Amino acid sequence: SNTWFSSEAVINFCSRTSSRTVRLVFNAVFAISAAFWVKEIAKEVYLSSPAVSARISRLEKEGILKGFHAQVNYEAFGYGIKAFINLSVEPYQKKEFYPFIQSIPNVLECNCVTGDYSMLIEVAYQSTVELDHFINELQQFGHTKTLIVFSTSMEHRDISFE
């Protein structure tokens, strides 16, 4: 099972188990991939690579493009436990909660949602023991409900703008 990561997220996510060399390889892969895709896009739209780079930079500055991503198999790093955690957080706790959740490298995504819970958190862990420890930490902010993923029938995808 794969998921989408930014290069920074991959480095943070793998930092506890990966060597410095692995992190350097990741950085190089992301840099080469970006350069490769600029050349490919340039061929497709009949522009020069610098012209495509300039347009991409403008789209990034305008907030239309958030970045480039590589698809990484986090299970290859031993993170085979994927879960979604619902969490009730009171509005006054958000100032403390947001920095906490951003500091946890196993958190893949955290969304503020409507319904019975206020947060939906996607995580990946190497073991249920580690997941349980994290859930215990989360409960300082409120009640949790955890769903452990058995399998994924469809991976993350982007909207097609055809």
Side-chain angles (χ1 to χ4, degrees):
S1 171
N2 297 326
T3 194
W4 289 94
F5 290 91
S6 67
S7 59
E8 182 181 329
V10 170
I11 301 305
N12 290 339
F13 186 74
C14 301
S15 65
R16 289 190 288 162
T17 58
S18 298
S19 69
R20 180 178 181 274
T21 303
V22 170
R23 290 192 298 276
L24 291 173
V25 169
F26 271 122
N27 281 334
V29 166
F30 289 115
I32 291 167
S33 294
F36 171 78
W37 285 111
V38 167
K39 289 178 185 175
E40 290 300 307
I41 292 167
K43 287 180 194 174
E44 189 71 27
V45 297
Y46 304 106
L47 292 172
S48 68
S49 291
V52 169
S53 290
R55 283 170 172 79
I56 289 172
S57 292
R58 189 182 81 232
L59 292 170
E60 287 176 322
K61 286 177 188 164
E62 293 173 0
I64 295 169
L65 285 180
K66 290 181 161 184
F68 297 90
H69 306 278
Q71 197 169 9
V72 176
N73 181 356
Y74 60 86
E75 287 180 1
F77 291 94
Y79 294 85
I81 308 295
K82 182 177 172 182
F84 292 90
I85 304 166
N86 289 299
L87 173 66
S88 298
V89 176
E90 294 297 325
Y92 72 89
Q93 295 175 297
K94 289 182 179 181
K95 188 175 181 179
E96 183 182 349
F97 172 75
Y98 288 139
F100 166 79
I101 203 70
Q102 290 171 355
S103 74
I104 308 298
N106 298 73
V107 173
L108 306 177
E109 188 168 280
C110 178
N111 298 284
C112 186
V113 298
T114 62
D116 294 337
Y117 295 88
S118 53
M119 298 292 163
L120 176 62
I121 305 162
E122 182 180 2
V123 298
Y125 279 92
Q126 292 183 320
S127 71
T128 54
V129 171
E130 290 175 327
L131 174 60
D132 183 50
H133 176 74
F134 174 64
I135 292 166
N136 289 335
E137 286 183 68
L138 273 181
Q139 289 174 340
Q140 69 180 307
F141 296 103
H143 180 72
T144 62
K145 178 181 174 185
T146 303
L147 304 143
I148 295 177
V149 175
F150 287 144
S151 64
T152 302
S153 58
M154 190 184 88
E155 295 290 338
H156 173 83
R157 66 177 179 192
D158 290 323
I159 297 171
S160 177
F161 293 103
E162 293 182 29

